Amino acid sequence: MKIEDNIGTVDYFGEHRKVFMDTDGAKEGDYVYAQGGVLIRTVPEKEALETLEFWKERFFELKKVDARLSKVHDSQTSNAILAILQKVNLKRALTKEDMSALYKVTKPEELKLIYETANSTRQKENDNACCVHGILEFSNHCRNDCSYCGIRKSSSIKRYRMTVDEIIKNAEYAVKELGFKALVLQSGEDTWYDEKKLVEIVRRIRKMGVLIFISIGARSKELYRKVYEAGARAVLLRFETSNREIFENLRPGTSFEERIDLIKYVKSLGYVVATGFIVGLPGETDNDLINNILLTKSLGADMHSFGPLIPAEGTPLEDERLPDKQKVLKTIAISRFADREAKILVTTALETLDRKTRKEGLLAGANSIMINVTPPEYRELYIIYPNRADKDKDIKENIKQTTDLLYSIGRAPTDIGL
Ligand code: 5AD
């Protein structure tokens, strides 16, 4: 690694990447681990050489597979769709009308071309890296009463809260035993975790040399600032929908403006930002989805996070219909066209819609995945929506399945093990 001002240049098999020097006195020539453009920790030479040795051949092998799968094949497609995809290839911005035309596509050959173009764009701009973050759901208490959410305040589910020590213990297991280098700490909006507790949690986990994402809902700006100072470097906070009317209907007592303002604020603090929306809320149109994609981009999202509504029992939306899988895949592809270099998540909700869709999402422009590391006795109570794809998956088994899937399509998992 080389350093100038506060920016380091990391050499990764001949590729040079810039990182923000955030930590522990790393010097030129050190081996380091970086994530999301942030330096997370230095790595002892022996460990680094072992890792590089492991990756040396596999790295180029995987790239070859990815390049092969990222080819765009000729197919029967209308000129109008071809013209839009040609714009994508020329790196020109799509208009809302273009995006709307893509949402209207139903023919399998045309869908295939859209997904292949998105996958090829992902490969050209981002190569074959795929983030694999662990997610720990530490409390299902929530002060909000959102109509879509299974852990809303008025749900009569059994509630749990992990103690600070329990959170640390689980984080330690995820980092030391399972090898995660990026961890999302998620909960309902639970004020039992005040500034003091959150700062302690973040400080202690940061010492493990891991990128900490917090996903704790709309808390005060001051709290987000203190938690940044304690060492958290990423925030996952969706705006849920860009349609103010739908927002206000479904999220009583909360304000769209305040949520957007908070996302902008955490971005301004220097957090890596993951944000996004739910696909398939009642009353939502394709135009809303397009506005959602554009809002995600304009908020400077480093990572796009969206998934289908899975109607949750006992909530006002329990009888809603599941959105069409193609709609979510198209949203991934169009997000990729709108924000070529972003990370785009394949969410558990998408996998819940259809177990095979993780792979389809990754081949339609996505390049990020999360693995649940919540202990089973709590995971079964974190029922934001029912039948979650990861509900009964053993953590190690899930890691294996995920890395096997990634290897099979030529992707290099970046934040796990090895
Ligand atoms: N279906 C899909 N996603 C949901 N979320 C909440 N309830 C549901 C549901 N029924 C999403 C919200 C929230 C995230 C943690 O989970 O977007 O931000």
Side-chain angles (χ1 to χ4, degrees), residues 286-338:
D286 286 353
N287 194 41
D288 290 324
L289 288 174
I290 293 165
N291 287 335
N292 287 347
I293 293 171
L294 294 173
L295 180 56
T296 308
K297 180 177 159 73
S298 75
L299 288 168
D302 301 278
M303 181 182 272
H304 293 228
S305 168
F306 52 83
L309 172 77
I310 312 283
E313 259 165 60
T315 66
L317 302 194
E318 67 181 350
D319 293 326
E320 283 299 315
R321 284 187 20 200
L322 284 168
D324 170 27
K325 177 177 93 174
Q326 300 302 339
K327 182 149 268 183
V328 188
L329 292 174
K330 278 187 226 172
T331 306
I332 293 179
I334 299 171
S335 298
R336 175 56 67 209
F337 299 152

Side-chain angles (χ1 to χ4, degrees), residues 148-150 186 238 240 259 277-278 307-312 349 382 384-385:
Y148 43 83
C149 186
Q186 188 175 85
R238 290 180 173 177
E240 312 290 23
R259 200 162 176 96
F277 48 93
I278 299 178
L309 172 77
I310 312 283
Y382 199 78
I384 289 182
Y385 50 82

Side-chain angles (χ1 to χ4, degrees), residues 153-166:
K153 186 172 65 184
S154 56
S155 258
S156 53
I157 54 166
K158 191 172 159 201
R159 303 280 171 175
Y160 73 91
R161 246 179 212 134
M162 289 188 192
T163 62
V164 171
D165 284 340
E166 248 179 319

